[in-house]
Amino acid sequence: MADRPGCRVCGGDLRQFVDFGRQPLSDAFRLPDASEEEFFFRLAAGACGTCSMVQLMEEVPRDRMFHADYPYLSSGSSVMRAHFAAVARRFLATELTGADPFIVELGCNDGVMLGTVAAAGIRHLGVEPSGGVADQARAKGIEVRKDFFEESTALEIADAQGRADVIYAANTLCHIPYMASILNGVRALLKPSGVFVFEDPYFGDIIERTSFDQIYDEHFYFFTATSVSAMAARHGLELVDVERLPVHGGEVRYTLAPAGNRTPSAAVAALVAEERRRELTSAATLDGFASRVEKIRGDLLTLLQDARDQGRRVVGYGATAKSATVANFCGLDSGLVEFVCDTTAAKQGRLTPGTHIPVRPPEEFRRSYPDYALLFAWNHADEVMAKEQAFREAGGRWIRYVPDVHVL
Ligand code: SAH
Ligand code: TYD
Ligand code: ZN
């Protein structure tokens, strides 16, 4: 796991712009009596000088992250459930109207998107290596292949089930370093008339909001229209549409098609031009981001230390993967954050990775409100704050650190 010689997409030279130091696996919640040594790696990000792709400097082996006990559940947010039902309905009304249509989803997780497709009786396949969440999808009647998607998997699927009209991946493509294998697989599995649609956190939003906690082990790539367009071209694919999405703190949905098969929308050229105007991956932009990150670390630590010194209670809200970067980079511990509440049963009763803060059910938060709630799940702010209105009414305050440290 030494630093790679160059860009994982084109081999070009990487310029590192932020380094969070030694970090644990973001979703490795530990049992309190666990004795095995915790795994750490160096979390740092850089941008390619040739193709502009932003990526991690060090790669964590995939089996360490995605396995039977992977705890993240896509259905944990009502906003995201509605979002994915809407995506599915759109595919059903557009790309999946021909004879015997077929859709493949990479990283289907607990089946939050494919549930709607399966209910419509449309041929589908989820490819999901994390066994526990894959079982949850199967329990909903969804067809799942428990596997990592890559070129060999794609060839087998195409052989056994034919080519797909749609290949879809949400918050999954950015998790996969081995991009050449993926895109060769997509080419082999996609019908000439088909589309590959994926949505991931948008680097333009990460820069704008200084949402540095989007950087963690599982998030290997940070896409822009510019870098995706170059990446697609290397594999006979073309970026034909982009759509900005409000979910998860700002994402872009990219649509790729076999080169020459569809006319790119005006939105593609517009976003590429905007990225050029913003100089999204220039040294000045990236170094500015890194210094804002340092300021957030200092401000957050000062706020939490002051609260502790004044005898105020602080509880974390949402044991997100993102929060591993914040907590470990800022050096938080259970003296500063008493516990973190989270709805995920598989995280409750465990300790946060690296920082060993207890994770408890939200009922514990409601049983005795703290003075402050540190909103780790800031990407679900509207949903969480609406649900926890009584906390505010009882005098509680929310602490946020994106785009800067502030109290609400
Ligand atoms: N699509 C869901 C899940 C995102 S979490 C959502 O948007 O909420 C990322 C998922 O990608 C995990 O469930 C993980 O197991 C899966 N994954 C990781 N590598 C993969 C690969 N090579 N092929 C398919 N799925 C993969
Ligand atoms: P999320 O921000 O979606 O992703 P990641 O782990 O990749 O950073 O994680 C949200 C976490 O917050 C998840 O563990 C579920 C939890 N959660 C709650 O506890 N209550 C809520 O109301 C919501 C929406 C999420
Ligand atoms: Zn490159």
Side-chain angles (χ1 to χ4, degrees):
M1 252 181 326
D3 283 4
R4 287 167 296 107
C7 172
R8 203 64 164 83
V9 172
C10 81
D13 288 338
L14 295 177
R15 180 181 175 277
Q16 181 178 310
F17 61 92
V18 69
D19 186 356
F20 298 100
R22 234 170 67 96
Q23 290 276 339
L25 303 177
S26 60
D27 269 315
F29 293 87
R30 279 165 79 77
L31 287 167
D33 58 2
S35 56
E36 74 274 13
E37 227 183 281
E38 229 170 340
F39 176 87
F40 288 91
F41 73 108
R42 189 175 76 89
L43 179 67
C48 175
T50 305
C51 77
S52 86
M53 183 65 81
V54 179
Q55 57 202 278
L56 295 190
M57 301 299 292
E58 203 174 284
E59 182 176 333
V60 173
R62 63 188 189 181
D63 311 87
R64 282 198 178 268
M65 300 184 281
F66 309 115
H67 45 66
D69 297 322
Y70 180 67
Y72 182 73
L73 293 178
S74 301
S75 295
S77 150
S78 61
V79 170
M80 294 313 299
R81 288 196 298 275
H83 171 83
F84 288 121
V87 179
R89 284 196 303 268
R90 194 202 284 189
F91 285 142
L92 291 172
T94 55
E95 304 291 337
L96 300 175
T97 54
D100 190 23
F102 181 38
I103 176 170
V104 175
E105 182 179 16
L106 322 186
C108 68
N109 198 273
D110 61 9
V112 68
M113 195 286 288
L114 285 180
T116 303
V117 173
I122 295 294
R123 211 151 58 83
H124 63 273
L125 180 69
V127 184
E128 174 52 71
S130 296
V133 298
D135 285 337
Q136 298 208 26
R138 281 183 178 167
K140 295 172 186 165
I142 294 161
E143 299 293 329
V144 184
R145 177 178 172 132
K146 280 193 197 177
D147 221 338
F148 287 97
F149 184 89
E150 57 192 330
E151 190 172 3
S152 58
T153 327
L155 292 170
E156 285 177 26
I157 296 169
D159 253 6
Q161 291 172 264
R163 292 188 175 207
D165 298 275
V166 176
I167 301 176
Y168 176 69
N171 307 297
T172 296
L173 199 66
C174 75
H175 291 58
I176 308 180
Y178 35 103
M179 191 59 79
S181 171
I182 295 294
L183 294 184
N184 288 339
V186 164
R187 274 307 305 251
L189 180 56
L190 202 59
K191 284 184 188 164
S193 58
V195 283
F196 175 37
V197 179
F198 59 97
E199 54 193 73
D200 287 288
Y202 178 49
F203 190 63
D205 288 315
I206 294 175
I207 288 293
E208 186 178 328
R209 302 172 190 204
T210 319
S211 41
F212 66 97
D213 57 349
Q214 292 284 11
I215 303 173
Y216 57 90
D217 56 346
E218 294 170 22
H219 284 178
F220 187 83
Y221 289 115
F222 305 90
F223 298 131
T224 62
T226 309
S227 61
V228 165
S229 185
M231 171 180 100
R234 300 175 67 83
H235 297 276
L237 293 162
E238 188 175 11
L239 178 59
V240 296
D241 198 21
V242 289
E243 182 185 353
R244 295 188 73 159
L245 306 172
V247 297
H248 287 313
E251 300 204 324
V252 168
R253 177 178 295 152
Y254 304 90
T255 301
L256 308 189
N261 281 16
R262 296 205 184 191
T263 308
S265 72
V268 175
L271 193 56
V272 169
E274 182 181 323
E275 290 169 359
R276 195 177 311 122
R277 182 183 54 72
R278 290 180 63 191
E279 301 185 1
L280 260 190
T281 51
S282 74
T285 302
L286 299 174
D287 293 347
F289 169 83
S291 31
R292 294 195 302 280
V293 171
E294 281 300 336
K295 175 157 169 49
I296 291 176
R297 161 155 73 171
D299 289 352
L300 183 59
L301 207 49
T302 304
L303 181 75
L304 294 174
Q305 284 165 346
D306 287 352
R308 176 194 59 197
D309 295 347
Q310 291 160 17
R312 307 257 193 259
R313 290 179 58 219
V314 179
V315 166
Y317 203 104
T320 57
K322 291 182 287 294
S323 68
T325 298
V326 181
N328 285 279
F329 181 57
C330 299
L332 307 188
D333 59 22
S334 53
L336 292 170
V337 177
E338 200 176 300
F339 63 89
V340 183
C341 73
D342 194 285
T343 49
T344 314
K347 297 181 183 179
Q348 296 164 358
R350 295 185 174 242
L351 304 175
T352 58
T355 47
H356 301 180
I357 302 170
V359 182
R360 304 211 175 118
E363 291 70 37
E364 295 255 342
F365 167 73
R366 291 174 201 134
R367 203 163 48 83
S368 159
Y369 284 133
D371 300 287
Y372 294 105
L374 174 56
L375 187 55
F376 285 131
W378 56 265
N379 47 310
H380 301 297
D382 291 346
E383 179 175 350
V384 166
M385 286 165 143
K387 182 180 348 185
E388 301 296 355
Q389 244 171 347
F391 167 60
R392 279 300 303 267
E393 285 158 16
R397 319 274 310 264
W398 292 98
I399 300 174
R400 303 202 41 180
Y401 50 83
V402 168
D404 50 24
V405 175
H406 58 284
V407 175
L408 286 174

